[in-house]
Amino acid sequence: MRLELVTHFERPRLRGTLPNLWPEFMGHDNVVQAFWPQLYDLYPDFQLWVLDREATSRRAIGYACSVPVHWNGTPSPRGIDWALTDGVEGTPPNALCTVVAGLVPEYRGRGVAEAILRRLGAVAAGHGLESLVAPVRPTWKERYPLIPIQLYARWRRPDGLPYDPWLRTHERLGGELLASAPRSMTIAGRRAEWEEWTGMNFPEDGEYVVPGALVPVHFKNGRGLYVEPNVWVRHAV
Ligand SMILES: CC(C)(COP(=O)(O)OP(=O)(O)OC[C@H]1O[C@@H](n2cnc3c(N)ncnc32)[C@H](O)[C@@H]1OP(=O)(O)O)[C@@H](O)C(=O)NCCC(=O)NCCS
């Protein structure tokens, strides 16, 4: 593996070369849907593509998206939705907020995530921003959908590092776990939509554990509501 990290400004043609890494329902947060089409045009310097120069194909093997925000030191319970609304609208920007990072599965667990975080820190510093903040989606939370995020984020391994692999990588690089963002994303849809997004049936109202969801999806009057919790992390740059 020979890693190359480039910004979208440098290599715009890489857009569209990465397979979808997310469960289908994750694409249906209204704030994200409204903001995403402008992301690459408004902030091309803050979007990263990861390449493996030794791979035969010229496709991206990972990416990270971030936006400059005004961070007043108080982590918003709205996480990603905050970053893409109040965060980007706040002036002056003084922090870079990472809203997503992902790698194709073959490249996970090989230290690439660390390289992405380091590069994001360098990008932030290069733009005169003081910190790198992130509403982090803990990668193993989906295994524990019934455990409150506040508890899960506190779980530690015997070596003292976070139990969750992605939180662990952040902390190892100097990130400080600040607070949970209990309403980082909100996804609402009709029963039929949720059935299409998940391939499951939801015959009656109630709480459903759905693959890839960090908490159960709550159905009431035939509508499903998923409110995703994340964990705020801050890195000084
Ligand atoms: C989040 C993500 C980019 C992190 O990348 P990563 O490669 O898993 O992260 P790291 O290389 O730092 O690995 C972190 C830990 O998990 C372990 N790990 C991760 N993937 C692994 C795998 N496939 N096999 C074995 N171990 C793995 C690593 O060994 C490491 O453990 P350690 O702390 O004991 O050394 C990646 O997991 C991913 O793309 N996930 C799906 C998308 C996602 O959820 N993104 C985050 C929200 S935006």
Side-chain angles (χ1 to χ4, degrees), residues 21-22 63 80 98-114 116-117 135-140 142 157 159 161-162 164-170 172 228 230:
L21 303 174
W22 302 99
Y63 75 129
I80 290 177
T98 305
V99 287
V100 72
L103 293 168
V104 297
E106 312 86 272
Y107 284 88
R108 292 180 196 164
R110 297 167 67 180
V112 182
E114 182 179 326
I116 293 176
L117 288 178
V136 173
R137 182 175 210 259
T139 47
W140 281 6
E142 67 180 46
R157 297 195 309 193
D159 65 3
L161 287 167
D164 184 82
W166 191 208
L167 292 178
R168 194 155 71 234
T169 298
H170 275 274
R172 219 186 250 129
E228 172 159 305
N230 290 167

Side-chain angles (χ1 to χ4, degrees), residues 70-77 82 178-179 232:
H70 180 77
W71 175 259
N72 69 5
T74 307
S76 166
W82 169 86
L178 299 177
W232 276 108

Side-chain angles (χ1 to χ4, degrees), residues 5 12 15 70 87 110 129 142 176 184 187 203:
L5 285 92
R15 191 172 179 189
H70 180 77
R110 297 167 67 180
L129 303 169
E142 67 180 46
E176 183 190 359
S184 196
I187 294 159

